[in-house]
Amino acid sequence: MGWDRLSYLITLSRPRFWLYLAGPVVVAVAFGATTVSELFTVETVLLAVYFLVPANVLLYGVNDVFDAEIDAVNPKKEAREARWTGDWFVLLVVIASGLLGVGLFAITPTGAWPWLAGFFLLAVGYSVPPARFKTTPFLDSLSNGLYVLPGIAAYVTVAGGQPPVAGVVGAWLWTMGMHTFSAIPDIEPDRAAGIQTTATVLGETRTFGYCGGVWLLSAVGFGLVDLRLGALLLVYPAAVLVVYRSDVDVARAYWWYPTLNTLVGTVLTLGALWRIVPLTEVIA
């Protein structure tokens, strides 16, 4: 594989968004573990590695294959992402990335399997007909719960039991807000291509309101697990309000969210780790 293909594959996998799948795994492992030794096991490392790169190659590769015609007129592809080239070798890598994920079922407990299966089904169904959830208003938003499914599987693998329902609902709602906010810059290109999404149906102003409302409900869900979690997640409805009321182009603001998500994820992870190793011991 030449450098051009490798470079294209990296661009296709959206490095800026790698932590959207791997991040929930890291956070979930931190919350599921009760000892330091449980943080770094063969299972947790393999889950983190798979969802850091191969899973992103699968998710975005499938998306780009079935969006090739639409992406041809999407200006976002010109500046930040890559348009599908039809390279057969890249297609094989995308398929292999999916097949590689089958191995995760061999290293995880049965309680994690429905979450893993859900990820692969939604990752493919989001873009591939006849399901193609991304072209059905509100189902496009709902189906993006796929981003937290790796984290739930990781939690089950480490903790040996299922996470709190309120936490799962809160996390799912968080992904719905993230997806729909990211669709705002695509409203006009999608309308031009005749594609209906939550954002194209609602329009820009109401989509801002939808994102803010969903993120507020997400904070409530997390708050039912721990008030501190709910308070932290309030940063999302606050941020969308700031963007809406400012002169910042939403297409530009969209690219700030990976940084915001990384910061929030870091705070969550550190908070979970301090349950295992108290901050006083770290300082000492």
Side-chain angles (χ1 to χ4, degrees):
M1 179 171 60
W3 169 251
D4 288 343
R5 276 175 168 164
L6 178 60
S7 177
Y8 175 76
L9 273 168
I10 293 174
T11 303
L12 171 147
S13 69
R14 321 287 204 272
R16 194 177 182 90
F17 302 138
W18 280 359
L19 288 180
Y20 280 15
L21 288 176
V25 172
V26 174
V27 173
V29 168
F31 274 95
T34 57
T35 64
V36 173
S37 62
E38 290 178 341
L39 296 172
F40 301 100
T41 65
V42 172
E43 294 81 4
T44 60
V45 170
L46 288 179
L47 283 166
V49 169
Y50 178 78
F51 285 106
L52 181 65
V53 181
N56 282 293
V57 172
L58 169 67
L59 178 63
Y60 294 115
V62 170
N63 178 81
D64 287 358
V65 169
F66 287 90
D67 274 11
E69 184 176 344
I70 302 165
D71 289 341
V73 295
N74 189 339
K76 188 172 73 175
K77 287 289 180 178
E78 191 72 37
R80 299 270 189 170
E81 298 173 3
R83 291 188 171 95
W84 180 250
T85 63
D87 189 315
W88 64 269
F89 181 81
V90 173
L91 179 61
L92 288 178
V93 173
V94 172
I95 295 171
S97 296
L99 295 176
L100 186 63
V102 176
L104 298 179
F105 290 89
I107 64 168
T108 54
T110 55
W113 291 1
W115 305 111
L116 289 174
F119 168 77
F120 290 110
L121 288 173
L122 289 176
V124 174
Y126 179 73
S127 301
V128 178
R132 198 159 164 77
F133 299 123
K134 69 179 300 175
T135 60
T136 304
F138 300 105
L139 274 182
D140 58 340
S141 178
L142 184 64
S143 65
N144 262 252
L146 68 91
Y147 281 95
V148 298
L149 297 182
I152 301 173
Y155 180 93
V156 174
T157 299
V158 175
Q162 301 295 331
V165 173
V168 173
V169 172
W172 201 292
L173 288 165
W174 171 79
T175 67
M176 291 170 62
M178 282 303 309
H179 166 268
T180 309
F181 186 84
S182 73
I184 295 176
D186 294 332
I187 288 177
E188 294 309 319
D190 283 345
R191 283 176 173 171
I195 294 175
Q196 283 195 320
T197 67
T198 301
T200 62
V201 168
L202 294 178
E204 183 172 313
T205 298
R206 285 186 292 180
T207 301
F208 272 110
Y210 173 87
C211 293
V214 167
W215 273 328
L216 185 59
L217 290 174
S218 173
V220 171
F222 278 105
L224 292 174
V225 178
D226 189 308
L227 288 176
R228 293 167 295 183
L229 299 179
L232 176 61
L233 268 292
L234 285 175
V235 69
Y236 287 97
V240 78
L241 180 62
V242 169
V243 173
Y244 175 70
R245 295 181 66 88
S246 70
D247 295 328
V248 177
D249 185 353
V250 67
R252 180 184 177 194
Y254 161 65
W255 293 99
W256 297 343
Y257 273 76
T259 300
L260 175 62
N261 293 335
T262 300
L263 292 173
V264 171
T266 299
V267 173
L268 288 172
T269 303
L270 289 176
L273 292 177
W274 287 337
R275 295 180 304 107
I276 302 172
V277 183
L279 181 58
T280 52
E281 293 184 19
V282 175
I283 295 175

